[in-house]
């Protein structure tokens, strides 16, 4: 390990330094109070030793020896102490992002980079006129999709304590606060820290699907619900400032979720969780609307005689008084001359009726609620009320348009092999899975079209799928067409896999009479958007041929016409990286998008991509703007649908100001990539040929490593995968079936395990070999040119550079030695490939050290290392002892879980 001589903070980050020091002092005081002075001094000794190791480049042995042999309770407390320290650093950094945003706004000069004001100014400078921009806005469709992959499991109560700390630090921005007020802020922080210390980070009970839903619902119904109107207001302000136009904005943003609908490998998800999730989401959003309507009723106190109202509003009020007599009777007589307040009180009653299923007076659709709110808005504007409440009404209108009566669309996902199991039972053909794709498509076609129907079957898999499609039909009728999203097929490889869903949907009763505009389609249609998910490198390579076969199929082509000739394809970043390594995965994804778009254009259909990204760069995690700007031209086209997983949800959306900033960056990136994608470069044809060579060599080196004899045993002993499998992090098992090989392990625990042991090979292994080979075959100058001028490769190298900076090969070696005799055969390969990758990455960038061009990230990593390192080394010692106990020592397991959770939060993008 190299010694670190760089300063801990950037010159202009004085306030961040002050926050870190303040929080650090409060954490120290809390630890002394809660654990005693002796415990606090022990923590300080270890922390000082960890800092010294980093600054002086010391070997890992001394720090490791000081942590060896601790009693389980002491080890757990020590791990939690360090987790608390760097959690304070995380919080300080998030608050500093809010501070920097305010500084930009206060300065009034240059717009903050990647803000909507900055994006529109860039577009105007690139020749985008107002008409062109306004023509594109209705095409924008940005939809983050929240999934239940909690690699960072944080209780809601702890999230709320963190928010209390954030509020106190933000309040301290005000220079006019008195010493007494600042002391009160500090007391609030100390109370949150102390009560947080006395709260377990996660329940020992594995969460249910409903628990996962409540976790995701916290972000949807709280920070995001509050900030969505601010996003539209920021865009409207930017349009006014840059282009001088003020127009009503179309809906640009919606949300979706997999929680309750992701059946792939999870026996706990099915028809019942689909119904329960949709019902719970509906209840949450109706409650939020009711709260807002009640607040508006208090605000809009305009009285008759002082101001007029739209006659239509007066008629609506009279109508509602008749329809909701009990609620009307509750309106105080002294409020009878307040038409807005009275109508809003009755709107609240109608919302309550909507919450009660099958209530005749409830809103039949969200459009009816919008009509009420828009009537109030129009009446206010007509009678000088634009600044007397109309803006508040418009914020609610904005929320209703974004969240509907469903809060977030629910996607459904299932493995193609489950569909095949059901079809084997329905056809009575045990050899169904052995038939080739063409034979299966031929047999499925009459069932997918509705010409024939399956006979009833008592098979359990068939029954489960029938119940799922029956529930989708019921919820569509009950909650509306926007309540459910895509049906995603995992491990989709052929057109038959998609026809299978159509056939099974019809068998489950999910078919309706066509609407008037689609009456020419004949019989009943399946109102479902089906998205094949291409996950492995080979699947991505074959995806264009699969899509072509699908579009050539007359039955599916007829179905697609009923869906507006719009086809979704989901791209799997996680499994493709696990399958082929980072460079082969990225290139496979890039190439697949280009070729799929070519197929779609030839067939005259619209194609949109759903990106299955994870938190780590090993699973597609990326900064949004460079990721979209390096996408193939035409791949965005106004649409971004992307998964948000694990700790990413908390980091991006846990605090309102940061949620708004992230939404702005996302919408801005979509606008830039759509209106002015990167220009065509004649050198790209040659670069693509070079990349084919590099990707193949990278995959070859990666597969040689993970296919090496003994690798599975090495993986299971040199990483904490056995602890991760014991952790109660999610409702879904860590493996799809018995562990025969890497392909049977889910991508999340795969990445999580290698990140925990600090080698993170999932994000870089094979790249160094590829670059070295490329320099030999095509010349170093060609690689330098590609790294400098091709956004695709430049972005990939930036992401790998970040991962290399987070690695610690000395700590990884300590983990590796847990594998016994396997260590010698594997770790040397890891160290050699790491040095090879680091050498070539720096050489292509012309840099002497990692993260030269991203000093803020470099500082962020340095701030955390002294707190993460002790937990990693403590984990090594605990793993050795826990395994020696046969995995029976519960105290050691609890301490290990504390270490795993702590490292996860410290490294931030783990899975």
């Amino acid at each position: 390990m190299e010694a670190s001589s760089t300063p801990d903070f950037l010159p202009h980050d004085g306030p961040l330094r002050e926050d870190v020091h303040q929080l650090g002092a409060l954490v120290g005081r809390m630890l002394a109070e809660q654990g005693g002075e002796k415990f606090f001094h022990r923590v300080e000794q270890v922390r000082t030793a960890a800092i010294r190791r980093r600054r002086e480049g010391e070997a890992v042995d001394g720090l490791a020896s000081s942590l060896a042999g601790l009693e389980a309770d002491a080890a757990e407390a020590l791990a939690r102490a360090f987790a608390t320290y760097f959690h304070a650093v995380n919080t300080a950094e998030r608050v500093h992002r809010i501070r920097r945003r305010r500084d930009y706004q206060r300065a009034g000069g240059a717009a903050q980079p990647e803000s909507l004001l900055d994006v529109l100014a860039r577009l105007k400078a690139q020749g985008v006129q107002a008409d062109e921009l306004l023509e594109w806005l209705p095409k924008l469709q940005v939809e983050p999709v929240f999934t239940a992959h909690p690699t960072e499991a944080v209780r809601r109560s702890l999230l709320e304590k963190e928010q209390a700390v954030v509020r106190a630090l933000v309040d301290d921005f005000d220079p006019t606060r008195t010493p007494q007020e600042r002391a009160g802020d500090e007391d609030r922080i100390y109370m949150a820290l102390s009560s947080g210390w006395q709260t377990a980070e996660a329940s020992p009970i594995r969460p249910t699907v409903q628990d996962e839903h409540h976790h995701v619902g916290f972000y949807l119904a709280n920070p995001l619900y509050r900030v969505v109107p601010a996003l539209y207001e920021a865009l409207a302000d930017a349009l006014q400032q840059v282009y001088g136009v003020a127009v009503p904005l179309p809906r640009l943003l919606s949300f979706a979720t997999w929680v309750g609908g992701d059946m792939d490998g999870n026996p706990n998800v099915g028809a019942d969780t689909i119904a329960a999730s949709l019902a719970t989401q509906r209840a949450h959003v109706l409650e939020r609307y009711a709260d807002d309507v009640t607040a508006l009723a208090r605000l809009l106190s305009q009285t008759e005689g002082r101001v007029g109202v739209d006659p239509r509003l007066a008629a609506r009020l009279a109508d509602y008084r008749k329809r909701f007599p009990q609620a009307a009777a509750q309106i105080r007589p002294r409020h009878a001359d307040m038409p807005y307040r009275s109508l809003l009180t009755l709107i609240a009653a109608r919302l309550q009726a909507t919450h009660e299923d099958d209530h005749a007076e409830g809103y039949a659709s969200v459009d009816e609620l919008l009509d009420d709110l828009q009537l109030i808005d129009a009446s206010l504007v007509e009678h000088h009320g634009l600044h007397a409440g109309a803006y508040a009404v418009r914020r609610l209108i904005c929320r209703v348009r974004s969240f509907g009566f469903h809060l977030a669309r629910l996607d459904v996902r299932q493995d193609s092999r489950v569909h095949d199991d059901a079809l084997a039972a329905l056809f009575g053909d045990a050899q169904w899975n052995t038939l080739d794709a063409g034979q299966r498509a031929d047999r499925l076609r009459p069932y997918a079209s509705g010409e024939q129907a399956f006979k009833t079957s008592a098979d359990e898999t068939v029954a489960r799928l029938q119940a799922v499609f029956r529930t989708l039909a019921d919820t569509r009728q009950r909650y509306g067409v926007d309540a459910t999203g895509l049906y995603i097929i995992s491990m989709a490889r052929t057109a038959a896999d998609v026809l299978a869903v159509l056939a099974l949907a019809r068998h489950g009763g999910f078919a309706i009479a066509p609407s008037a505009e689609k009456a020419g389609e004949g019989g009943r249609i399946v109102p479902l958007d089906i998205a094949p998910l291409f996950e492995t490198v080979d699947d991505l390579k074959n995806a264009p041929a699969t899509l072509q076969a699908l579009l050539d199929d007359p039955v599916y082509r007829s179905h697609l016409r009923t869906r507006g000739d719009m086809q979704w394809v989901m791209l799997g970043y996680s499994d493709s990286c696990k399958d082929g390594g980072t460079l082969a995965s990225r290139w496979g994804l890039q190439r697949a998008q280009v070729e799929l778009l070519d197929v779609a254009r030839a067939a005259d259909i619209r194609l949109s991509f759903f990106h299955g990204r994870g938190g780590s760069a090993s699973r597609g995690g990326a900064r949004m703007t460079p990721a979209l700007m390096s996408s193939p031209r035409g791949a965005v086209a106004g649409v971004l649908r992307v998964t948000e997983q694990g700790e990413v949800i908390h980091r991006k959306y846990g605090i309102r100001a940061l949620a708004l900033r992230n939404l702005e960056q996302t919408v801005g990136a979509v606008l830039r990539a759509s209106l002015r994608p990167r220009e065509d470069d004649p050198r790209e044809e040659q670069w693509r040929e070079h990349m084919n060579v590099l990707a193949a060599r990278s995959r070859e080196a990666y597969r040689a490593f993970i296919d090496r004899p003994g690798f599975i045993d090495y993986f299971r002993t040199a990483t904490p995968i056995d602890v991760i499998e014991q952790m109660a992090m999610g409702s879904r098992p860590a493996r799809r079936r018995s562990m025969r090989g890497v392909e049977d392990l889910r991508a999340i625990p795969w990445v999580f395990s290698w990140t925990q042991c600090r080698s993170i090979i999932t994000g870089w292994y094979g790249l160094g070999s590829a670059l070295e080979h490329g320099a030999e075959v095509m010349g170093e100058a060609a690689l330098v040119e590609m790294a400098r001028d091709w956004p695709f490769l430049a972005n990939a190298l930036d992401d790998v550079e970040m991962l290399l900076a987070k690695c610690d090969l000395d700590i990884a070696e300590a983990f590796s030695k847990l594998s016994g005799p396997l260590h010698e055969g594997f770790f040397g390969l890891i160290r050699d490939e790491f040095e090879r990758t680091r050498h070539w990455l720096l050489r292509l960038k012309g840099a002497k050290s990692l993260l030269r061009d991203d000093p803020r990230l470099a500082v962020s990593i340095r701030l955390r290392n002294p707190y993460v390192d002790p937990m990693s080394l403590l984990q090594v010692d605990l793993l050795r002892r826990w395994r020696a106990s046969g995995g029976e020592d519960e105290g050691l397991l609890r301490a290990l879980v504390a270490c795993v959770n702590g490292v996860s939060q410290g490294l931030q993008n783990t899975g």
Side-chain angles (χ1 to χ4, degrees):
M1 185 193 72
E2 297 178 357
S4 173
S5 58
T6 48
D8 287 339
F9 295 92
L10 298 179
H12 51 283
D13 282 349
L16 171 60
R17 181 190 298 109
E18 292 173 7
D19 284 350
V20 169
H21 288 169
Q22 179 192 13
L23 291 177
L26 289 173
V27 169
R29 177 179 141 202
M30 180 274 294
L31 293 175
E33 179 183 274
Q34 298 294 320
E37 289 293 333
K38 184 177 179 180
F39 171 64
F40 171 65
H41 288 308
R42 175 64 172 146
V43 172
E44 283 298 289
Q45 286 175 351
V46 175
R47 187 172 74 94
T48 302
I51 293 172
R52 184 175 60 250
R53 170 187 173 256
R54 284 280 171 180
R55 284 186 173 166
E56 299 179 11
E58 294 178 355
V60 76
D61 299 345
L63 183 58
S65 297
S66 70
L67 294 165
L70 292 178
E71 293 291 331
D73 288 347
E76 181 182 3
L78 192 63
R80 293 188 63 224
F82 280 99
T84 304
Y85 267 118
F86 68 69
H87 187 67
V89 173
N90 290 349
T91 303
E93 286 190 338
R94 288 171 183 150
V95 169
H96 194 55
R97 287 185 62 195
I98 299 172
R99 182 186 288 113
R100 287 166 53 208
R101 179 179 175 85
R102 291 189 176 192
D103 288 345
Y104 273 106
Q105 293 171 336
R106 189 183 300 112
Q112 185 176 16
E114 299 186 8
S115 66
L116 287 170
L117 184 60
D118 173 63
V119 167
L120 264 58
R122 284 173 179 266
L123 290 173
K124 186 175 183 180
Q126 291 177 293
V128 175
Q129 300 300 312
D131 289 347
E132 182 184 2
L133 177 60
L134 294 178
E135 183 181 341
W136 263 98
L137 287 181
K139 302 176 186 177
L140 254 62
Q141 183 181 348
V142 176
E143 190 167 54
V145 183
F146 294 91
T147 67
H149 295 312
T151 50
E152 181 191 47
V154 183
R155 276 183 160 161
R156 178 168 178 167
S157 56
L158 293 177
L159 297 176
E160 291 169 345
K161 295 179 199 308
E162 179 190 74
Q163 290 183 338
V165 174
V166 169
R167 284 193 297 271
L169 290 174
V170 171
D171 287 346
D172 205 38
F173 291 175
D174 183 357
T176 67
R177 288 180 75 77
T178 66
Q180 292 81 3
E181 289 171 328
R182 293 185 187 281
D185 294 339
E186 192 165 284
D187 287 343
R188 282 188 288 152
I189 294 172
Y190 191 70
M191 179 172 66
L193 292 172
S194 299
S195 58
W197 178 260
Q198 296 178 354
T199 304
E201 289 78 10
S203 170
I205 301 171
R206 185 174 291 277
T208 64
V209 175
Q210 194 68 3
D211 292 330
E212 291 173 337
H213 174 77
H214 284 298
H215 183 77
V216 168
F218 171 82
Y219 298 97
L220 286 167
N222 289 282
L224 287 167
Y225 180 86
R226 302 314 311 176
V227 305
V228 160
L231 172 72
Y232 285 86
E233 290 163 6
L235 180 56
D237 289 345
L239 279 168
Q240 181 67 54
Q241 288 190 51
V242 176
Y243 287 100
V245 298
V247 294
L249 295 175
R251 188 178 82 169
L252 314 172
L253 179 70
S254 59
F255 299 91
T257 177
W258 280 14
V259 181
D262 186 6
M263 301 179 290
D264 179 14
N266 192 344
N268 302 307
V269 176
D272 55 342
T273 60
I274 291 171
S277 292
L278 287 169
T280 302
Q281 288 176 189
R282 181 180 175 87
H284 281 169
V285 78
L286 288 175
E287 288 169 6
R288 301 302 269 162
Y289 293 159
D291 290 343
D292 280 359
V293 165
T294 300
L296 283 175
R298 290 194 297 269
L299 173 66
L300 300 183
S301 59
Q302 288 89 337
T303 54
E304 296 172 350
R306 287 292 181 93
V307 66
V309 297
D310 190 311
R312 295 174 300 161
L313 188 141
R316 185 77 50 89
L317 176 58
D319 176 49
Y320 275 26
R321 285 184 182 277
K322 294 177 182 177
R323 294 168 64 180
F324 301 98
Q326 290 184 328
Q330 298 298 315
I331 298 174
R332 296 179 182 177
R334 58 194 302 238
H335 294 162
D337 61 345
M338 298 178 176
Y340 297 121
R341 177 172 292 183
S342 297
L343 179 57
L344 285 161
T345 300
L346 298 174
I347 288 173
R350 193 173 182 190
L351 282 170
Q352 178 59 40
T354 307
H355 186 63
E356 301 167 9
D357 283 348
D358 302 322
H359 194 296
E361 295 296 344
Y363 285 108
S365 71
V366 73
D367 290 337
E368 293 183 353
L369 173 60
L370 283 171
D371 185 59
D372 280 348
L373 296 174
Q374 287 164 346
L375 178 56
I376 294 172
D377 175 59
S379 180
L380 284 167
V381 172
E382 184 182 354
H383 296 91
H384 311 289
L386 181 63
H387 299 287
Y391 284 122
V393 176
R394 289 176 181 179
R395 290 189 186 103
L396 179 53
I397 290 172
C398 179
R399 292 183 179 118
V400 173
R401 289 167 64 197
S402 297
F403 295 101
F405 279 165
H406 55 276
L407 186 64
R409 294 202 298 163
L410 182 65
D411 284 354
V412 175
R413 180 171 73 141
Q414 185 55 281
D415 193 309
S416 63
R417 291 167 291 190
V418 174
H419 299 150
D420 282 336
D421 290 343
L423 291 167
L426 287 167
F427 281 118
D429 184 354
Q431 303 303 311
W432 171 259
N433 291 334
T434 67
L435 300 179
D436 65 38
Q439 290 173 312
R440 284 184 287 135
D442 289 341
R443 292 186 65 181
L444 280 168
R445 210 165 276 121
Y447 298 92
S449 66
E451 294 174 19
Q452 295 184 36
F454 290 115
K455 295 179 181 179
T456 58
S457 170
D459 181 79
E460 183 179 351
T461 302
V462 172
R464 282 178 58 86
L465 285 170
Q466 267 191 303
V468 165
F469 286 112
R470 192 178 304 117
T471 300
L472 289 175
D474 176 66
T475 53
R476 185 180 192 277
Q477 184 174 5
R478 185 185 297 263
Y479 302 135
V481 297
D482 289 333
T484 52
L486 306 181
Y487 191 103
I488 298 142
I489 311 169
S490 299
M491 295 297 171
R493 294 189 169 95
T494 69
D497 291 331
V498 181
L499 292 175
V501 174
L502 282 177
L504 290 167
R506 289 185 181 278
H507 185 59
F510 193 25
I512 62 171
S515 57
E517 65 272 17
K518 297 169 184 170
E521 297 298 331
R524 298 174 72 81
I525 63 174
V526 176
L528 192 63
D529 290 316
I530 304 170
L533 167 53
F534 300 113
E535 301 181 74
T536 69
V537 173
D538 286 340
D539 290 346
L540 288 167
K541 183 178 181 180
N542 297 327
T546 301
L547 180 61
Q548 185 66 66
L550 194 57
L551 297 178
D552 287 343
D553 188 282
V555 171
Y556 188 75
R557 199 67 182 82
S558 176
H559 166 75
L560 202 60
R561 280 193 290 273
T562 72
R563 308 307 298 162
D565 276 329
M566 168 69 174
Q567 177 65 50
W568 284 96
V569 165
M570 185 170 181
L571 302 172
Y573 290 69
S574 303
D575 279 285
S576 61
C577 189
K578 178 167 69 75
D579 171 54
T582 184
L583 195 62
S585 168
R586 282 175 176 263
W587 184 234
L589 289 158
Q590 186 87 351
R591 188 174 55 195
Q593 290 177 75
V594 172
E595 295 174 2
L596 286 165
L597 285 167
D598 288 342
V599 172
R601 290 189 195 99
D604 196 26
I605 67 159
R606 289 181 300 143
L607 179 67
S608 291
F609 295 110
F610 177 16
H611 300 274
R613 295 181 181 271
S616 168
S618 303
R619 297 186 51 244
R623 292 171 295 178
M624 194 56 66
T625 298
L628 294 191
M629 293 306 293
S630 62
S631 297
R633 283 171 289 277
V636 179
V639 177
L640 178 66
R641 201 172 199 265
V642 60
T643 52
E644 301 280 25
Q645 305 178 359
E647 76 286 340
V648 173
I649 296 176
H650 178 54
R651 191 171 71 246
K652 291 175 69 171
Y653 304 113
I655 298 170
R656 287 186 197 175
L658 299 187
L660 175 59
R661 169 69 170 155
N662 279 292
L663 291 176
E664 272 201 62
Q665 289 174 308
T666 301
V667 171
V670 172
L671 281 169
R672 286 185 61 191
S674 301
L675 275 81
R676 289 296 181 269
R678 58 190 176 85
E679 294 183 2
D680 197 4
D681 191 315
R683 296 173 294 175
E684 280 197 42
E685 184 175 354
Q686 181 64 61
W687 291 344
R688 285 192 287 268
E689 292 300 319
H690 289 340
M691 188 52 62
N692 287 333
V693 174
L694 294 174
R697 182 67 186 95
S698 176
R699 186 184 189 189
E700 179 184 329
Y702 174 82
R703 291 302 312 190
F705 182 73
I706 68 171
D707 290 337
R708 187 179 175 88
F711 175 78
I712 293 299
D713 291 336
Y714 177 71
F715 167 65
R716 295 199 64 82
T717 51
T719 78
I721 179 60
D722 44 350
V723 175
I724 290 167
E725 289 172 340
Q726 295 286 324
M727 292 173 66
M729 291 195 306
S731 68
R732 194 165 70 161
R735 334 185 255 231
R736 289 184 169 93
R737 56 185 74 81
S738 61
M739 184 72 177
R740 296 192 301 266
V742 172
E743 65 275 8
D744 292 330
L745 186 72
R746 295 191 183 281
I748 295 165
W750 167 252
V751 174
F752 199 16
S753 299
W754 288 110
T755 304
Q756 283 288 316
C757 71
R758 307 290 293 279
S759 66
I760 325 182
I761 67 166
T762 52
W764 55 263
Y765 199 98
L767 177 62
S769 294
L771 295 177
E772 184 176 72
H773 177 69
E776 295 172 357
V777 172
M778 58 199 68
E780 185 175 334
L783 293 181
V784 170
E785 180 186 64
M786 291 167 66
R788 182 190 63 230
D789 297 340
W790 193 17
F792 167 76
L793 184 58
N795 187 42
L797 294 180
D798 285 345
D799 288 341
V800 170
E801 184 179 18
M802 180 268 293
L803 291 178
L804 294 179
K806 290 188 174 186
C807 292
D808 188 311
L809 267 289
D810 293 339
I811 290 177
E813 184 174 19
F815 274 94
S816 181
K817 288 177 179 177
L818 294 173
S819 67
L822 293 172
H823 166 71
E824 293 297 331
F826 283 94
F827 190 73
L829 297 173
I830 291 176
R831 189 178 285 279
D832 288 348
E833 184 67 13
F834 178 87
E835 294 300 337
R836 190 178 296 115
T837 303
R838 184 178 183 277
H839 166 78
W840 280 104
L841 188 145
L842 292 176
R843 191 156 175 164
L844 296 187
K845 286 182 167 242
K848 293 183 179 180
S849 60
L850 296 173
L851 299 179
R852 177 198 63 182
D853 299 327
D854 196 344
R856 185 169 298 282
L857 179 57
V859 167
S860 177
I861 292 172
R862 283 197 301 275
L863 278 174
R864 286 169 178 76
N865 281 334
Y867 306 109
V868 180
D869 293 352
M871 285 187 294
S872 293
L873 294 170
L874 187 58
Q875 189 180 150
V876 172
D877 180 64
L878 293 169
L879 260 177
R880 182 184 297 110
R881 293 156 57 193
W882 179 66
R883 287 170 179 170
S885 76
E888 298 295 328
D889 192 318
E890 290 296 322
L892 291 175
L893 179 60
R894 284 195 301 272
L896 276 166
V897 169
C899 289
V900 170
N901 281 332
V903 172
S904 166
Q905 294 178 48
L907 297 180
Q908 293 196 81
N909 51 0
T910 60

